[in-house]
């Protein structure tokens, strides 16, 4: 479903070319829960930008849900992000002036779909925040804000939920809460790609990909989940 | 996103910075209100001018002795009764409704130890119709009185006010001293707001007793009435022809008289008041432009402040156009609100100034509100929102999502 074929990304930094991703090939199936790990400078962020269609590869091919992304223009990329990808950011990235419900509704607004309110309410219910739909982000805790962000990622029923350090700003209790929520979503059949540098967060995934210097150095499938309740 | 939702988003954006939005709105408001008020002041001025000129009559042609040119024999010939006669007998095509000679001067009127210096007009009985005047009391002098150069006089408002306390009936029949002669007041002219300091008498009486050496046949002005406003140019040409023959002048450059019409005056004033209105409108338009620059400035600040929001919106799937639309609507709402308040203030000030009456405005005539200017000013405010919002909105729409998301 997600297929990277010798994808490279080269940035020009002054006189030198920086190869952030170096001929990376990778394939992720529907329903997988993948953690992408690596130290800073390993190409993690570039990977996230390319997987999330925020950026296009310099070289190679990226297929998402049957669409070749490399050749798309800005508006087409926006449509792909809207329909096929649900973003979860480290800084939550909710719109501060909108209520929780309005934030969740936003992707549907750009998708021009009907019954937005009902769908947004259902997504909020899925992250157990139905009671807080009229709260503004600054009236919610960090964990709650991240759950609103997850609801926003879910609401368009995307092909992939792409979480970039989703627990980076959270305390231990909230981290556990978010990790459990992602696990639950994955069990319900959603594809989750998690980018993190925390081993304990990565541990909830069923496949861990390690990056270094723009290349995949390890790709391990964990059959039995550590600490899984069964 | 429907337009209603887009408007809601825009209003929410503007409400987040109330003071800033209010100040920007104020900038446009002042511009729009200034356009409306100044245009209505200009309109009022030209309406008043037109009214004044039209009250003088737009079918009148005046003939004056030329000050510049002299005829071939080196002497400027004055206008005389012979010229008047020639014009009166000039026949048709076009017909001259009336030809009225006027002899002008000034003299002191005295009665009951009060005295007042005023203009004297010696004329024929056509004076009333030629100058569009009416009588307020008494009668006008007659042709018989002209023939016998009777010492009778018709006064206008100001002398009656100064000499008789403004009482028309007590003035009638009174003997007043003008110069060295005693005249009888036979009538009083209704005021017309223009020439109200005046005494009119038979042209023969004026010549014999007051102006000139007596017995001569000179006149200062000949007023010719055309059949209508449309025949004024033809009438002027005809007067020209008759008088050139009369004065034996062949070269038009050598004319020793001038023929002018109120119509020319009207056109000249209309042109001048048009320039005046344009001038006022330009000043107002500049303030509108300044308001527009204010909008652009604020929208640029807003876009920078909301870079992250733009990044989020793009990340979750907003197309370029959606962002462009959002900020264009915001700037247009800003300008439109300014326009709306400006229309209310501008119309309010114009109506209020009109209601106060002329005294409150000094010499300014009451403003005349032009619905067209109100509409145009409001439409221009919307256009300014679009125009000055375009650059900031385009900047927002062109932001790259990765960089915008990283913006702190």
């Amino acid at each position: 479903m997600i297929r990277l074929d010798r994808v490279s990304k080269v940035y020009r930094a002054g006189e030198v070319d920086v190869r952030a991703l170096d001929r990376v090939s990778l394939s992720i199936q529907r329903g997988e829960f993948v953690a992408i790990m690596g130290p800073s400078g390993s190409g993690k962020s570039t990977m996230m930008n390319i997987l999330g269609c925020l950026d296009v590869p310099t070289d190679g091919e990226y297929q998402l849900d049957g669409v070749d992304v490399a050749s798309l223009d800005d508006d087409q990329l926006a449509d792909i992000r809207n329909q096929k990808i649900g973003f979860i950011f480290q800084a939550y990235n909710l719109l501060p002036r909108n209520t929780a419900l309005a934030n969740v509704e936003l992707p549907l607004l750009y998708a021009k779909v009907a019954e937005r309110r009902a769908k947004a309410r259902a997504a909020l219910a899925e992250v157990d925040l139905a009671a807080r739909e009229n709260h503004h982000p600054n009236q919610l805790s960090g964990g709650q804000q991240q759950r609103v962000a997850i609801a926003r990622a879910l609401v368009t029923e995307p092909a992939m939920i792409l979480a970039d350090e989703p627990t980076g700003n959270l305390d231990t209790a909230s981290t556990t809460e978010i990790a459990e929520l992602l696990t639950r979503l994955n069990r319900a059949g959603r594809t989750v790609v998690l980018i993190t540098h925390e081993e304990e967060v990565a541990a909830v995934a069923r496949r861990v990909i390690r990056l270094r210097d723009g290349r995949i150095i390890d790709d391990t499938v964990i059959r039995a989940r550590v600490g899984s309740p069964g | 996103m429907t337009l209603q939702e887009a408007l809601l988003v825009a209003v929410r954006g503007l409400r987040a910075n109330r003071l800033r939005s209010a100040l920007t709105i104020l900038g446009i408001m002042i511009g729009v209100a200034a356009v409306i008020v100044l245009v209505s002041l200009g309109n009022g001025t030209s309406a008043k001018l037109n009214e004044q000129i039209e009250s003088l009559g737009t079918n009148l042609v005046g003939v004056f002795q030329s000050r510049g040119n002299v005829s071939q024999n080196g002497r400027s010939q004055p206008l005389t009764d012979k010229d008047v006669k020639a014009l009166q007998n000039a026949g048709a095509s076009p017909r001259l409704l009336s030809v009225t000679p006027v002899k002008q001067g000034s003299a002191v009127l005295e009665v009951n130890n009060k005295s007042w210096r005023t203009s004297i007009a010696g004329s024929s009985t056509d004076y009333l119709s030629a100058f569009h005047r009416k009588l307020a009391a008494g009668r006008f002098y007659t042709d018989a009185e002209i023939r016998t150069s009777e010492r009778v006089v018709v006064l206008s408002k100001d002398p009656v006010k100064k000499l008789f306390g403004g009482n028309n009936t007590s003035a009638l029949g009174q003997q007043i001293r003008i110069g060295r002669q005693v005249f009888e007041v036979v009538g009083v002219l209704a005021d017309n707001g223009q020439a109200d300091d005046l005494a009119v008498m038979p042209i023969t009486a004026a010549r014999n007793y007051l102006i000139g050496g007596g017995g001569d046949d000179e006149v200062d002005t000949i007023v010719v009435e055309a059949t209508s406003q449309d025949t004024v140019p033809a009438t002027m040409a005809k007067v020209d022809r008759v008088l050139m023959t009369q004065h034996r002048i062949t070269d038009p450059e050598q004319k020793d008289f001038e023929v002018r019409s109120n119509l020319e005056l009207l056109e000249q004033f209309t042109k001048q008041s048009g320039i005046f209105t344009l001038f006022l409108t330009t000043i107002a338009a500049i303030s509108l432009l300044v308001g527009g620059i204010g909008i652009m400035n604020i929208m640029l600040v807003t876009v920078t402040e909301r870079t992250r929001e733009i990044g989020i919106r793009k990340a979750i799937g907003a197309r370029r156009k959606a962002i462009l639309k959002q900020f264009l609507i915001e700037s247009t709402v800003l300008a439109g609100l300014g326009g709306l308040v400006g229309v209310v203030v501008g119309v309010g000030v114009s109506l209020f100034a009109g209601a106060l009456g002329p005294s409150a405005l000094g010499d300014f005539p009451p403003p005349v509100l032009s619905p067209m200017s109100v509409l145009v000013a409001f439409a221009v405010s919307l256009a300014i929102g679009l125009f000055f919002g375009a650059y900031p909105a385009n900047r927002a729409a062109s932001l790259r999502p990765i960089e915008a998301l990283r913006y702190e």
Side-chain angles (χ1 to χ4, degrees), chain B residues 41-354:
Chain B
L41 273 181
N43 279 344
T45 308
S46 46
K48 181 80 184 170
L49 271 175
N50 283 357
E51 189 188 303
Q52 283 178 353
I53 293 166
E54 269 161 24
S55 79
L56 296 177
T58 48
N59 64 332
L60 295 187
V61 172
V63 187
F64 310 88
Q65 185 170 356
S66 172
R67 289 184 191 279
N69 284 330
V70 287
S71 62
Q72 293 101 319
N73 59 12
R75 270 185 54 207
S76 172
Q77 307 170 62
L79 298 168
T80 62
D81 283 345
K82 290 191 201 78
D83 296 327
V84 176
K85 275 272 165 357
L87 286 170
Q88 277 165 346
N89 298 329
S93 75
R95 195 162 61 87
L96 309 183
L97 274 187
S98 70
V99 179
T100 311
V102 181
K103 182 87 185 155
Q104 281 150 323
S106 77
V108 176
L109 315 184
E110 283 175 282
V111 68
N112 303 334
N113 297 328
K114 290 181 199 154
S115 61
W116 182 250
R117 179 171 278 278
T118 190
S119 304
I120 302 294
S123 187
S124 69
T125 49
D126 286 329
Y127 184 89
L128 282 183
S129 74
F131 286 93
H132 295 250
R133 299 299 298 244
K134 287 195 170 55
L135 284 172
R139 61 172 181 87
F140 207 65
Y141 53 79
T142 62
D143 283 325
E145 284 167 331
I146 293 175
R147 276 193 297 276
T148 56
S149 59
E150 213 62 51
R151 279 163 287 184
V152 290
V153 66
V154 176
L155 298 179
S156 67
K157 189 184 79 181
D158 288 356
V160 172
K161 194 170 156 196
K162 298 294 173 185
L163 303 178
F164 302 103
N167 189 335
N168 289 345
T169 44
S170 73
L172 292 179
Q174 294 290 321
Q175 305 286 320
I176 63 172
R177 185 173 276 278
I178 306 180
R180 284 184 208 137
Q181 303 290 329
V182 173
F183 281 67
E184 183 190 345
V185 179
V186 293
V188 177
L189 290 174
D191 58 312
N192 70 350
Q194 300 279 329
D196 287 330
D197 190 359
L198 184 71
V200 190
M201 61 184 64
I203 188 165
T204 46
R207 279 187 186 134
N208 288 338
Y209 304 117
L210 297 168
I211 310 157
D216 67 35
D217 62 351
E218 287 184 21
V219 300
D220 295 308
T221 312
I222 303 172
V223 177
V224 178
E225 230 181 324
T227 48
S228 76
Q229 190 173 312
D230 299 331
T231 56
V232 165
T235 303
M236 288 172 77
K238 179 175 180 176
V239 168
D240 238 13
R241 273 196 317 275
V242 170
L243 291 184
M244 275 168 74
T245 316
Q246 193 69 21
H247 288 197
R248 293 187 198 87
I249 298 165
T250 45
D251 179 6
E253 292 289 305
Q254 302 261 314
K255 279 196 304 189
D256 53 6
F257 60 90
E258 278 176 54
V259 182
R260 282 189 251 139
S261 76
N262 276 346
L263 209 56
E264 282 177 319
L265 204 64
L266 184 66
E267 273 161 14
Q268 205 178 333
F269 274 131
T270 306
K271 202 171 143 200
Q272 274 175 359
S273 71
I275 292 169
F276 179 63
T277 305
L278 187 70
F279 174 69
L280 290 181
T281 314
T282 307
I283 291 175
I286 288 171
S287 72
L288 207 50
L289 189 75
V290 172
I293 293 169
I295 284 196
M296 181 144 155
N297 197 4
I298 280 308
M299 288 311 293
L300 281 174
V301 172
T302 301
V303 168
T304 306
E305 274 181 357
R306 282 155 65 183
T307 300
R308 203 181 171 82
E309 174 193 323
I310 295 161
I312 296 168
R313 287 179 185 274
K314 288 198 141 190
I316 62 173
R319 283 181 166 210
R320 203 192 128 75
K321 243 189 175 160
I323 301 291
L324 194 73
K325 211 164 88 179
Q326 182 190 338
F327 283 94
L328 271 185
I329 287 175
E330 203 168 306
S331 65
T332 309
V333 165
L334 204 57
L337 279 176
L340 215 59
V341 181
V343 164
V344 171
V345 171
V347 170
V349 167
S350 300
L351 291 181
F352 184 66

Side-chain angles (χ1 to χ4, degrees), chain A residues 79 81-82 93 110 116, chain B residues 5 308 313-314 316 319:
Chain A
D79 290 348
R81 290 196 296 268
N82 185 244
N93 281 348
Y110 292 122
R116 295 197 290 259
Chain B
E5 284 165 337
R308 203 181 171 82
R313 287 179 185 274
K314 288 198 141 190
I316 62 173
R319 283 181 166 210

